[in-house]
Amino acid sequence: MKVSDERSADPASAEMLEHISGRAVQTAWDRHEAQQPQCGFGQLGICCRICTMGPCRIDPFGGEPSMGVCGADADIIAARNLIRMIASGASAHSDHGRDVAHTLLEASRSEESDYQVNDEIKLRALAMELDVPTEGRELREIARDVAEICFAQFGRQEGELTFAARAPRDQRDRWHRAGVMPRGVDREIVEIMHRTHIGVDNDPVNLILQGVRAALADGWGGSMIATDLSDVLFRTPEWITSRANLGVLDPNAVNLIVHGHEPTLSEMILAATQKKDLIELAKSKGATGINLGGICCTANEILMRHGIPIAGNFLQQELAIATGAVEAMIVDVQCIMPALGKLIDLKDYHTKLISTSPKAKFPFAEHIEFDESRAMEIAVRIVRQAVENFPNRDKDKVHIPEQSNPLVAGFTAENVFTALGGRYRPSYRPLNDAIISGRIRGVAGVVGCNNPKVRHDYGHVEMTKELIANDVLVAVTGCTAVADAKAGLLCPEAALEYAGEGLQEICRAVGIPPVLHLGSCVDNSRILMVLTNMVAEGGLGESIADLPVAGAAPEWMSEKAVSIGFYVVASGVYTVLGEPLPVQGSRVVTDFVTKGMEGLFGGKFAFESDPIKAARLMMDHIDRKRQALHLPGPMYEVPYVPRTKAEVKAAG
Ligand code: BF8
């Protein structure tokens, strides 16, 4: 196999890697190789640089040193490091949510705002849930009250996070018993930072429970607010078609890529690209028009609501620039490699890298600061710069791979399974019935990043194929969704090619793909609501922990993924990670996250790098849950046969 194929299972990415090999361009794969061997202490989670008596590290083989200078052992060090990852990941999601809440608040205060409420139904539903009066009031007043309540959630000092009340009762009872019912995410994160300061909390399990509390404040708070208020501002997604992969770049048009996470920026850039005068300007420069594409989660945001095509996922950001066909890459926050600036500085490519957030500046990027109060004006300025850069494109250097696969996206907790019942039965009943009868074996959420430690996209795609072949309906978000889209798994036709007979029957009846795109990484909150609705519909137990469902992040790498993992597991979901959490230098922490958490929350982690084996672990778990609910095995023959009770039990 060629090196490029070893690095990426995605043909377009492999083609680009081949195309740039031998040039000065460096990619994350090259830098990963240059880092070998990576630090074993770091991988095991047993190095500490929290104070300047260190840095300290623990002998992983049980020898000396067995403690840091302060006396912290491997268990304390691993637990502290782990929950600091949660703090960072929860901060990223929740700061995103805070920005959306702030945008809604500003929009409700000013008639001049470029933003407005685009989903009145969702706003009114939220108002009802939050006890905001609606009778005889203007939409703007309702929006202000809803935004103020949501905004206040972030800093909530006492009591319970309001949206945690959405979780099934049994799950909330578990959180109460474990003492992890979250307050505001800001408070929980500050408490992590306090507890992990030298000489504060030195009980590994107590530390991790605080990590759980912050993660729950993210999933059921910051991220959930990001999703709900983005829906209010930019409208709740509906099923929509589009395409994904580098082939969406247009050799004849001005190509703009938005990369990052927050829809407040990408929505305005999209609106600016549709302005007649800018399109005319593009034509006057010799282009056929303006073509917008996305990378990472901001791509998922504008795909879900507008069908804007996706250029790629995390590991494709450098490859997109290397096509030589991108006039501007416009970035905001999260998952944007600083390497992009170095790539621009090579002067091999004409692409302008434009940073926009006061929170995120990059080497060699031009900074045009985005300000929600002048959103359209700034978006127009950015798009104009991209258009004016078109004549600098060297046509001889352009290399755009052909691949771009069709896809269907736009699934939400509101529409995803009500669709199964059609207009006459808009509820989760048909889904629950399909699971109860065994047509659908269970539901899996496959989410998360790319990581050059594993073959790009291979983990996502192979795991998803194995699951759907065995009648497991798969929900995807983030970079998994992009990987699966590129592999053609988000098309209804994929059911006929890859799904088992039972799942195929459902997909055929309703016209849905076997893999449902639920959005960006903050939209993992949509998956929480899907699970909650399944419990509420009845017949599948009393809590999320009873459901025949499982989660996975086969290629995860970011701290956000750690926060997601913890709120999903604490919400009752068995979750398999491709890369282990960096805690294996501590027996106590490893045991707690892979075993102990189950007793408290009903969910736990497993680590398995082989995506097929990981999918089978998930199906063993799903089958075990089916048995506990006294449900029959899969209705049709499946390649991965349900194990006997004893076999499943033995598999753990
Ligand atoms: O938030 S999946 S690489 S893009 S962290 Fe980043 Fe990971 Fe992609 Fe979206 Ni999520």
Side-chain angles (χ1 to χ4, degrees), residues 202-234:
N202 286 294
D203 178 318
V205 170
N206 206 41
L207 281 161
I208 295 170
L209 289 176
Q210 179 56 25
V212 167
R213 204 172 186 187
L216 287 171
D218 169 8
W220 294 87
S223 284
M224 202 166 266
I225 290 170
T227 297
D228 278 357
L229 297 192
S230 294
D231 285 352
V232 168
L233 276 168
F234 310 119

Side-chain angles (χ1 to χ4, degrees), residues 234-244 248 267 270 274 291-294 298-311 405-410 517:
F234 310 119
R235 81 181 166 73
T236 305
E238 286 167 13
W239 298 8
I240 199 159
T241 57
S242 189
R243 302 190 77 84
V248 305
E267 286 275 337
L270 167 60
Q274 291 166 346
N291 179 43
L292 182 65
T298 210
N300 288 321
E301 298 277 356
I302 50 171
L303 164 75
M304 292 282 283
R305 297 191 177 88
H306 303 282
I308 298 300
I310 292 192
N405 274 81
L407 64 96
V408 179
H517 189 336

Side-chain angles (χ1 to χ4, degrees), residues 3 16 72 85 87 217 253 257 273 284 293 402 453 504 514 577 602 608:
V3 174
M16 283 309 299
M85 292 183 88
I257 287 185
T273 59
S284 74
E402 267 178 17
K453 285 183 177 173
Q504 212 178 95
L577 301 180
E608 174 54 64

Side-chain angles (χ1 to χ4, degrees), residues 239 411-420 428 512 516 518 530:
W239 298 8
F411 296 93
T412 63
E414 288 91 338
N415 73 20
V416 66
F417 294 126
T418 52
L420 284 171
Y428 275 59
I512 55 171
L516 304 176
L518 271 85
V530 165

Side-chain angles (χ1 to χ4, degrees), residues 1-9 13-15 17-18 455:
M1 201 188 276
K2 283 195 239 161
V3 174
S4 50
D5 291 320
E6 275 170 13
R7 288 180 165 187
S8 179
S13 299
E15 180 183 324
L17 287 169
E18 195 63 26
R455 192 173 173 220

Side-chain angles (χ1 to χ4, degrees), residues 433-477:
D433 283 349
I435 292 174
I436 289 165
S437 68
R439 264 190 189 81
I440 293 179
R441 190 175 189 161
V443 178
V446 185
V447 307
C449 322
N450 298 137
N451 185 333
K453 285 183 177 173
V454 295
R455 192 173 173 220
H456 173 226
D457 286 356
Y458 178 81
H460 297 305
V461 173
E462 293 310 307
M463 174 181 283
T464 305
K465 282 185 183 167
E466 177 71 7
L467 289 167
I468 61 177
N470 286 284
D471 288 339
V472 177
L473 182 64
V474 175
V476 288
T477 60

Side-chain angles (χ1 to χ4, degrees), residues 96-127:
H96 168 165
R98 187 197 325 268
D99 280 352
V100 179
H102 186 248
T103 303
L104 181 63
L105 193 57
E106 292 294 298
S108 71
R109 283 174 177 160
S110 160
E111 286 192 18
E112 308 298 308
S113 174
D114 293 325
Y115 299 95
Q116 52 182 295
V117 171
N118 264 297
D119 193 334
E120 186 178 336
I121 295 175
K122 181 118 186 190
L123 176 67
R124 287 187 183 278
L126 273 172

